[in-house]
Amino acid sequence: MVLEAPRSPLREVELPRPELEQGQVRLRVQACGVCRTDLHIRDGEIAEPKLPLVLGHQIVGTVIEGGETFGRGTRVGVPWLGWTCGECRYCRSGQENLCDRARFTGYHLDGGYAEEAVADERFCFAVPENYPDAQAAPLLCAGLIGYRSLGFAGDAARIGLYGFGASAHIVAQIARSQGRRVFAFTRAGDDAAQSLARELGAEWAGDSEASPPEELDAAIIFAPVGALVPAALHAVRKGGTVICAGIHMSDIPSFPYELLWGERSVRSVANLTRRDGQELLRLAPTIPVRIEVETFPLAEAEQALGRLRAGEIRGAAVLSVALSARLLP
Ligand SMILES: [Zn+2]
Ligand SMILES: [Zn+2]
């Protein structure tokens, strides 16, 4: 399913098989998660993707050719971080997520909205066995970004999650397993998301404009809505942190300095390191994190993105690729 130009629907296209380069693996895609970033790229909100482009950076696939690390038939996961230079100041200081020349899957590199994908094996992960393909896929970005964001909340005991979609539903479970208390904020009247939040251990769930029953120690904003920054600052205590986890956000409205005063801080979280991936994929099955998915056949990728845009997905949207491939004539 190919994006030929921003703001145009994905099209089903037959692409030539790319030649494998040294260190690359060819995968038969089993499932690919649908991330809000895919939607931002599709909608032209993130500048200059490779075009035409195969979206998708939460790929669970089986190695069918190439590489040395994984045997043929091994199930691997491919995340957003697709390649780094290994030489820049960020790569050399454990911050490869900030690499000046990083290449991202489903943005600079063709991704997983496809029957096959090619990836640099150094950036692929082993996928925990306990997770079926569709449930494993959202761990690769929703889970990873959420996990990295939670790290920046330090030892915050009371965590607010703004936007209860794919990422938050995973983070809530990790946070609960660490003994933290979770407060979930959703679009006004989104009963489905609020009830999922309570089911997964949130002690309070309400509308994003509402005040939580007590002040928060940290807040993570997953929704791409800049107005949530002052709202979250208002909800956190002195010294608390507001973490913006998304790659794109509408403009943040101006707000009185008083909201930031008291050593509150606002920060963003960008991309992932391979270490984040290894840690999360080790941790998830031990909790165990439960992944709620809504699956779509590959050919319905555009519909999946539409449902995500409308806020109609409970948990994470995933393309079940192997299944749709079997159904092809
Ligand atoms: Zn993503
Ligand atoms: Zn670099």
Side-chain angles (χ1 to χ4, degrees):
M1 295 300 292
V2 172
L3 177 69
E4 288 169 336
R7 293 175 294 279
S8 68
L10 304 188
R11 280 211 319 130
E12 191 174 335
V13 172
E14 202 65 43
L15 293 174
R17 273 183 141 191
E19 293 279 319
L20 284 193
E21 289 166 22
Q22 182 69 27
Q24 287 185 325
V25 284
R26 193 187 309 281
L27 308 175
R28 175 183 165 77
V29 179
Q30 310 289 350
C32 185
V34 176
C35 177
R36 184 165 287 282
T37 297
D38 304 341
L39 185 56
H40 292 312
I41 297 168
R42 151 71 178 76
D43 288 348
E45 291 166 331
I46 299 178
E48 292 175 9
K50 160 195 179 298
L51 288 173
L53 172 69
V54 180
L55 288 166
H57 55 268
Q58 306 183 85
I59 309 171
V60 175
T62 308
V63 176
I64 53 175
E65 190 188 345
E68 289 169 1
T69 312
F70 302 100
R72 211 165 282 194
T74 308
R75 191 169 72 142
V76 299
V78 184
W80 172 245
L81 189 71
W83 184 87
T84 55
C85 77
E87 294 166 357
C88 71
R89 61 184 295 178
Y90 300 107
C91 282
R92 282 186 284 110
S93 62
Q95 293 178 291
E96 63 180 359
N97 59 308
L98 302 179
C99 172
D100 285 328
R101 293 193 281 148
R103 293 163 72 79
F104 298 113
T105 312
Y107 182 53
H108 302 118
L109 308 164
D110 279 332
Y113 288 19
E115 291 168 321
E116 289 185 5
V118 165
D120 184 322
E121 64 174 346
R122 295 171 302 164
F123 294 85
C124 296
F125 298 116
V127 177
E129 282 173 17
N130 338 34
Y131 289 91
D133 300 328
Q135 275 73 20
L139 288 170
L140 295 163
C141 183
L144 269 177
I145 287 293
Y147 175 72
R148 185 172 175 84
S149 305
L150 188 60
F152 289 115
D155 59 2
R158 297 165 299 183
I159 299 257
L161 302 177
Y162 285 76
F164 204 86
S167 238
H169 100 285
I170 296 171
V171 174
Q173 298 175 66
I174 299 173
R176 290 292 299 134
S177 77
Q178 296 168 336
R180 305 181 200 249
R181 299 166 58 198
V182 173
F183 301 77
F185 299 78
T186 73
R187 297 184 203 212
D190 189 346
D191 297 333
Q194 290 176 14
S195 72
L196 179 61
R198 285 191 205 95
E199 226 174 90
L200 297 177
E203 67 181 64
W204 177 91
D207 299 350
S208 57
E209 299 300 317
S211 292
E214 54 188 285
E215 58 179 9
L216 305 172
D217 301 308
I220 307 175
I221 303 179
F222 294 108
V225 180
L228 293 174
V229 172
L233 276 171
H234 190 74
V236 300
R237 65 163 172 81
K238 284 183 285 187
T241 307
V242 173
I243 298 143
C244 303
I247 192 169
H248 169 81
M249 201 180 231
S250 55
D251 285 355
I252 300 169
S254 77
F255 55 85
Y257 178 58
E258 190 190 339
L259 285 183
L260 188 62
W261 173 248
E263 300 194 344
R264 292 176 180 85
S265 56
V266 177
R267 69 166 301 147
S268 66
V269 167
N271 314 317
L272 66 131
T273 66
R274 281 171 280 184
R275 190 175 153 184
D276 297 323
Q278 285 147 8
E279 287 177 9
L280 174 72
L281 293 171
R282 246 195 324 264
L283 176 67
T286 66
I287 292 177
V289 173
R290 178 183 122 196
I291 311 289
E292 292 282 326
V293 299
E294 199 171 318
T295 58
F296 299 82
L298 175 58
E300 289 176 21
E302 183 65 24
Q303 287 87 329
L305 288 168
R307 293 281 304 276
L308 183 61
R309 190 187 294 106
E312 292 170 354
I313 303 286
R314 189 175 192 269
V318 176
L319 304 178
S320 255
V321 180
L323 178 66
S324 51
R326 276 202 296 278
L327 293 174
L328 288 176

